[in-house]
Amino acid sequence: MGRSSTVPLDAARALLAKARSDLDALEVNLDQPKFADEHFGFFCQQASEKSLKAVLTAAGVRIRKTHDLREILDILQDNGIRVSEEIRRVRELSPFAAEYRYDAWLAPAENLDRPALLALVRRCVEWAASEVERIGR
């Protein structure tokens, strides 16, 4: 599906570049004990959010400002963009956008499985990049 304007595609690619930058931060801090789990989770959430929003942007779908990954995933589905259940698992990262960062008593009860989260978020970014290019063709 071609586009008469490259603006949505350029904006989508810019969001993907930011998501990849968040991935870089995650990779550098994967084994850093001073990089708290709530910060690691925040970067996971942010990379996922930017990736999902990149797909919506490429498709020309405008959404209100939100960090709720469940809502963003629902909007993707409502617009006919299929997201695998594996990628949909990023919805569990939504509390890292704010709640876990600012409300210490709400922090996750157990340590994060950082390698598993990093792998999930990497797959989300890769899926989004392929969707953006598919939409842009």
Side-chain angles (χ1 to χ4, degrees):
M1 152 167 57
R3 297 237 178 254
S4 59
S5 170
T6 61
V7 173
L9 194 54
D10 290 343
R13 287 177 177 148
L15 281 168
L16 284 171
K18 290 179 180 289
R20 287 183 180 113
S21 179
D22 291 339
L23 268 181
D24 290 343
L26 289 166
E27 289 170 357
V28 166
N29 289 292
L30 181 64
D31 297 319
Q32 297 300 315
K34 288 187 176 185
F35 195 70
D37 278 351
E38 55 265 22
H39 298 300
F40 193 88
F42 172 73
F43 278 96
C44 287
Q45 188 280 337
Q46 284 291 289
S48 300
E49 178 184 330
K50 291 167 189 165
S51 296
L52 298 175
K53 286 181 175 179
V55 176
L56 288 171
T57 299
V61 178
R62 298 180 85 162
I63 65 169
R64 70 178 188 88
K65 283 191 174 193
T66 183
H67 301 295
D68 185 342
L69 297 176
R70 285 181 177 91
E71 180 179 343
I72 297 166
L73 287 161
D74 288 345
I75 294 168
L76 284 160
Q77 180 177 328
D78 292 347
N79 284 276
I81 300 168
R82 187 184 169 284
V83 182
S84 72
E85 186 53 40
E86 177 190 25
I87 300 300
R88 292 183 68 79
R89 287 181 36 230
V90 299
R91 66 185 171 262
E92 298 166 12
L93 297 169
S94 288
F96 286 100
E99 291 95 355
Y100 290 165
R101 291 179 58 228
Y102 298 111
D103 298 329
W105 63 91
L106 292 177
E110 55 192 54
N111 291 337
L112 296 181
D113 183 346
R114 290 181 179 199
L117 276 178
L118 177 59
L120 171 62
V121 173
R122 185 179 292 119
R123 286 190 299 276
C124 180
V125 173
E126 290 168 354
W127 169 82
S130 68
E131 281 296 299
V132 165
E133 294 311 311
R134 182 190 63 77
I135 291 168
R137 279 185 256 179

